[in-house]
Amino acid sequence: MPRDGTITRNKIMDIAQQMVLNVGLTGTSVDKVIVEAGVTKGTFFYHFKTKHDLAAALIERYADQDQHHFHDYMAKAEQLARDPLQQLLIFIGLFIEMTEQLEDPFPGCLYAAYCYQSGAISKDVMSRIEEMMHFWRDQLSHKLEAVNQLYTPQLPVTHTQVADHLLTTFEGAFVLSKVMNEPKLASEQLIQCRNYLELLYRADG
């Protein structure tokens, strides 16, 4: 029977992703990945023609996982509450619960790692990252638009501005946790994000 190369491919990608998060894409070489993964050059190039092919595969997998987490958590939130504000608060709460279980700092954000070295990355790969930023913005904006129909913000802000703030906090919290080497920092910042929403849309009086 033909050998299934999925395990080997995933192993190469796991090693490469951690390396990119630690030393950046320019510091990640094919030779280093081959040594760490314990595979031959032939095996590596069977799965990935070039380093850029590997980089594209990494961000595609990362984006797919990101979308899955978003849809999964939002679906759970929508099952638990009818009110759009409560749905959003639960959504953030699920991410808080996830990050509170981390014993090590968040491993980092592949989007950020790529953006820091965008000059070494193809336009197609950078477009995929931009696409994911728009995905988060659009999904959150849609939910916040429903919130604004029921609640009046305490400050003059648009639902898109609030969505961008939430996205900035999510991305920044994970980067900060890694840089500061503080496992709980990500969850603490997401808690502040949730607090902001509760204050922004609190009932008058």
Side-chain angles (χ1 to χ4, degrees):
M1 295 180 63
R3 297 174 60 187
D4 184 357
T6 302
I7 295 176
T8 300
R9 178 183 172 86
N10 287 337
K11 181 179 180 181
I12 292 171
M13 292 179 69
D14 290 342
I15 293 293
Q17 178 168 314
Q18 192 56 54
M19 200 173 293
V20 171
L21 291 172
N22 288 336
V23 300
L25 189 62
T26 56
T28 301
S29 69
V30 171
D31 287 340
K32 289 179 181 177
V33 172
I34 287 171
V35 171
E36 288 294 324
V39 299
T40 65
K41 284 189 176 182
T43 298
F44 178 90
F45 289 112
Y46 171 79
H47 292 286
F48 308 101
K49 294 180 180 179
T50 65
K51 176 180 172 180
H52 289 294
D53 285 341
L54 172 61
L58 287 176
I59 205 66
E60 190 62 36
R61 182 179 71 165
Y62 192 82
D64 286 345
Q65 292 171 344
D66 190 22
Q67 283 186 309
H68 174 76
H69 284 140
F70 186 100
H71 287 308
D72 184 43
Y73 283 3
M74 187 59 77
K76 289 180 180 178
E78 290 173 347
Q79 287 178 343
L80 294 171
R82 294 181 182 273
D83 183 284
L85 177 58
Q86 292 305 314
Q87 290 171 353
L88 197 51
L89 295 175
I90 292 171
F91 173 78
I92 297 173
L94 291 170
F95 276 97
I96 293 171
E97 183 179 51
M98 182 268 288
T99 54
E100 283 180 338
Q101 295 173 359
L102 296 175
E103 295 182 0
D104 297 314
F106 196 82
C109 175
L110 203 60
Y111 300 142
Y114 276 36
C115 288
Y116 295 150
Q117 299 180 329
S118 57
I121 300 171
S122 71
K123 291 183 178 180
D124 288 344
V125 171
M126 291 305 297
S127 293
R128 184 67 172 115
I129 297 173
E130 181 181 356
E131 180 183 314
M132 286 306 301
M133 295 300 101
H134 280 289
F135 166 79
W136 270 82
R137 170 193 272 181
D138 293 344
Q139 293 291 323
L140 291 173
S141 291
H142 178 72
K143 184 62 67 177
L144 284 160
E145 187 174 15
V147 171
N148 283 354
Q149 292 177 0
L150 298 176
Y151 298 88
T152 301
Q154 298 297 307
L155 295 170
V157 294
T158 67
H159 57 271
T160 301
Q161 290 171 336
V162 178
D164 284 345
H165 171 71
L166 299 185
L167 177 54
T168 300
T169 303
F170 268 78
E171 291 295 325
F174 296 145
V175 172
L176 197 59
S177 176
K178 179 178 175 62
V179 172
M180 301 297 286
N181 196 34
E182 297 180 19
K184 301 305 179 185
L185 196 150
S187 62
E188 291 170 356
Q189 290 308 303
L190 292 180
I191 289 171
Q192 294 306 312
C193 182
R194 186 175 60 184
N195 289 345
Y196 166 74
L197 284 180
E198 290 179 328
L199 290 171
L200 181 64
Y201 292 106
R202 73 181 188 273
D204 291 328

